[in-house]
Amino acid sequence: MELRPDIGAKLAAAGRKLAAGDRAAARALCSEVLVAAPGTAEAYYMLGEVQLAEGDAAAAAANFDRSIAHKPAFGRAWALKARALEAAGRSEAAVKAAKDAATRAADAYGWDTVGVVFSNAGLHARAAEMYGRAAKSAKWTGYWYNYGATLQFLGRFDEARAAYLEALKLDETNSLAWAGLVQITRQTLQDNQVATLMRIANAVKGDRTRLHRIGHALAKAHEDLGDAAGSMAWLATAKEAWRGNYDVSADDARFDAAMRSADMPMTGGLGGEQPIFVVGMPRTGTTLVERILSSHSAVESAGETNHFAQAMRRVTGLKGATMIDGPLIDGAAKADPAEIGRGYIGAVRAIQELQGRFVEKQPFNALLAPHIVRALPEARVIMLRRHPADVVLSSYRQDFAQTGGLLDYTFSLETTAQYVVKFDAMAKVFREKLPADRYLEVAYEEIVADLEGQVRRLLDFCGLPFEEACLNFQDNASPVATASAAQVRQPLYSSSVGRWKKYRPAIDPALKVLVEGGVMDADELG
């Protein structure tokens, strides 16, 4: 049904106000429309957009529902409903809504929005289909970037490169596309993008977000070219461009609560389920171990989800600005562990559509290891460890710009090293207090040195028979939505062991912290 001209004009004005960031004016105009023309689907839709922008996801979802009730074929309302449900922490409902939206969305914005929900849920093949539709139907650099990133997760690297290049044709300063392209394309003396990236870095130097990403791309390029000093210099530029106010007290609260949780009685959980959790600091080999285990014929991959933390939040009713915080870890100690386990398993079964045994790789679940052992007494938790100096270097090298606070420690070498020291203290407590038949520490260096021996150890811990396929993890075709997407599709290599030594003296401030923190021997410094 056609909108009345006066109603259409008010909605257009509301759209302009919303685009300009004047949400109050947009809300007022939508309210005027609903008084003048009750049941106007577009007004409910725009109210939902306002509320979603304000962080009131539950109210936004309700208004998208009202919009759909008055205009069932409103594809964008279906798509935004899925996003709102996701933002409200209702993952299962969000994926169901996204599946409904996928059949109703009829434009690039709708398809891309549905793709985001699928991608965040780890359903990357479905996300690629939606992103591909969006990218091929509208000339916008962001759609092509999203498509390229998902193709990269799926291991379709040639297609990913082509998508990134399409994004760059539309906007040469698309820093996300440059970061993705350089990450999966080794730079050589004969063929590299350094000059172009330097020019773009100069052009975007007033934009801290873009400079951060271009700086990381230049650091990767210099590393490929064997210039460790140049790489570290560009990393310093990139980190400085984005550096915010790191809240060290929030991390201290997480670690303190996590260590307290190791003293909980490990009883009352949900039996009959045997998920495998691979945890540890980012960049310690968690993806490698997940690939090894998911190469087994009896194990599927759940990818990297937030389902366990979300189950804890649902059961406790606690809100939080980040996925995991100290109050959540403490609060869940008073909750019913079986209910947490049931909520987690239900989400994995419904969203990832997995039926048998599965492995989940979410590094930050390390903070929740005692809760996992308590909620799911037949689960196995595998904690990855790695030489602390290599952890510092690898974490610092990675682009973790948008992290919601959980990875803000990576914006300086010193704070990264301090985090490693605290993590080590937590891991020591877990090693001493958690049951050895359910919690296992594995060193990345030992996997590199003795792949078959460590694979047998991992499988034995999980109660699985040895299979040759686990040694050939690089042939595993399931998606990898992490920074290791390219590396784990190659056979195991040892060049990342002891890499920190090549980055001295730039990394020395971090090494000093590690030695003083007692996690590294001063003799290693020579």
Side-chain angles (χ1 to χ4, degrees):
M1 187 173 74
E2 291 283 334
L3 292 172
R4 286 169 19 197
D6 60 320
I7 297 300
K10 282 197 173 187
L11 287 171
R16 291 192 293 272
K17 293 293 185 182
L18 181 58
D22 189 348
R23 294 193 288 265
R27 185 197 306 276
L29 286 164
C30 289
S31 297
E32 289 178 23
V33 168
L34 289 170
V35 170
T40 301
E42 289 80 2
Y44 284 121
Y45 170 81
M46 198 167 297
L47 276 175
E49 284 193 294
V50 170
Q51 290 161 332
L52 195 54
E54 291 174 339
D56 193 349
N63 271 318
F64 293 133
D65 270 335
R66 293 185 183 101
S67 178
I68 290 165
H70 290 286
K71 189 176 180 180
F74 196 171
R76 284 195 174 193
W78 283 96
L80 264 293
K81 174 186 174 180
R83 282 299 302 273
L85 289 168
E86 178 189 50
R90 297 174 59 190
S91 301
E92 293 175 57
V95 171
K96 183 181 183 302
K99 291 176 181 176
D100 290 336
T103 66
R104 293 173 170 87
D107 63 8
Y109 179 81
W111 292 323
D112 184 74
T113 300
V114 174
V116 170
V117 176
F118 282 148
S119 183
N120 289 343
L123 303 174
H124 299 293
R126 287 179 175 169
E129 180 186 354
M130 294 293 104
Y131 287 145
R133 286 190 201 176
K136 293 168 186 175
S137 67
K139 290 183 179 294
W140 187 56
T141 185
Y143 296 151
W144 279 104
Y145 167 75
N146 284 346
Y147 188 37
T150 300
L151 291 169
Q152 180 177 332
F153 296 159
L154 293 168
R156 294 158 59 180
F157 296 121
D158 288 342
E159 293 173 82
R161 287 187 190 91
Y164 289 143
L165 289 170
E166 288 295 331
L168 292 168
K169 283 181 188 176
L170 295 167
D171 178 6
E172 192 188 31
T173 67
N174 185 328
S175 54
L176 285 167
W178 276 116
L181 183 64
V182 173
Q183 183 182 20
I184 61 172
T185 308
R186 185 168 183 78
Q187 307 293 290
T188 67
L189 291 172
Q190 295 75 29
D191 185 10
N192 66 76
Q193 302 293 334
V194 171
T196 302
L197 288 168
M198 292 277 285
R199 175 171 56 78
I200 294 170
N202 187 60
V204 303
K205 61 186 177 183
D207 182 333
R208 69 176 193 146
T209 301
R210 293 192 184 196
L211 181 58
H212 173 86
R213 294 174 184 141
I214 295 297
H216 271 280
L218 276 161
K220 162 64 163 59
H222 280 82
E223 180 180 299
D224 284 350
L225 297 173
D227 181 2
S231 179
M232 291 299 282
W234 273 108
L235 280 172
T237 298
K239 301 296 184 181
E240 187 60 37
W242 188 261
R243 194 187 308 277
N245 296 316
Y246 169 46
D247 185 3
V248 66
S249 65
D251 272 332
D252 287 343
R254 291 184 185 100
F255 285 123
D256 290 344
M259 288 187 282
R260 282 192 294 271
S261 72
D263 290 319
M264 295 184 300
M266 297 297 159
T267 57
L270 176 72
E273 299 287 350
Q274 297 180 299
I276 304 166
F277 292 82
V278 179
V279 305
M281 276 194 65
R283 314 303 297 155
T284 56
T286 53
T287 302
L288 170 63
V289 170
E290 184 273 339
R291 303 303 283 179
I292 288 169
L293 293 172
S294 63
S295 296
H296 196 282
S297 62
V299 180
E300 294 182 276
S301 174
E304 184 173 312
T305 82
N306 298 330
H307 294 330
F308 196 87
Q310 288 172 344
M312 291 171 66
R313 289 212 177 273
R314 284 194 298 272
V315 173
T316 60
L318 294 169
K319 305 297 181 184
T322 57
M323 178 177 70
I324 298 170
D325 56 28
L328 175 66
I329 298 171
D330 279 332
K334 305 178 185 70
D336 180 356
E339 191 177 351
I340 294 173
R342 196 173 297 113
Y344 170 74
I345 294 295
V348 173
R349 300 293 187 211
I351 296 172
Q352 268 64 36
E353 300 176 347
L354 304 179
Q355 300 304 315
R357 289 196 76 178
F358 62 86
V359 56
E360 149 127 19
K361 188 222 74 146
Q362 167 54 268
F364 288 109
N365 278 340
L367 294 159
L368 309 179
H371 282 287
I372 292 169
V373 170
R374 179 175 179 241
L376 295 162
E378 295 177 54
R380 297 293 181 269
V381 179
I382 298 168
M383 171 75 84
L384 264 294
R385 307 306 309 281
R386 187 181 179 188
H387 191 288
D390 279 330
V391 176
V392 169
L393 174 65
S394 193
S395 298
Y396 184 70
R397 287 170 58 236
Q398 193 56 43
D399 180 2
F400 292 129
Q402 309 288 343
T403 64
L406 283 173
L407 283 159
D408 284 355
Y409 65 85
T410 61
F411 289 102
S412 88
L413 284 165
E414 291 91 335
T415 54
T416 304
Q418 289 161 8
Y419 189 96
V420 169
V421 172
K422 294 170 188 176
F423 192 99
D424 185 80
M426 179 189 74
K428 182 180 180 181
V429 170
F430 290 176
R431 188 166 62 246
E432 293 172 350
K433 296 186 176 183
L434 296 184
D437 60 334
R438 287 181 273 169
Y439 175 86
L440 176 71
E441 277 197 3
V442 176
Y444 172 76
E445 291 82 4
E446 290 180 8
I447 298 174
V448 172
D450 179 19
L451 177 60
E452 182 171 340
Q454 291 301 309
V455 166
R456 289 183 180 276
R457 180 185 178 214
L458 287 165
L459 294 177
D460 184 61
F461 173 69
C462 296
L464 294 164
F466 176 76
E467 288 185 358
E468 197 78 22
C470 296
L471 300 177
N472 300 311
F473 58 86
Q474 70 275 7
D475 298 330
N476 190 329
S478 59
V480 184
T482 73
S484 303
Q487 292 96 313
V488 296
R489 297 188 191 278
Q490 305 169 23
L492 194 63
Y493 53 87
S494 61
S495 58
S496 58
V497 175
R499 178 181 281 164
W500 62 272
K501 297 173 185 176
K502 300 177 183 177
Y503 289 82
R504 300 189 68 187
I507 198 175
D508 282 359
L511 302 181
K512 182 175 184 290
V513 173
L514 296 176
V515 171
E516 291 176 351
V519 300
M520 183 174 176
D521 194 325
D523 291 343
E524 291 188 70
L525 303 184

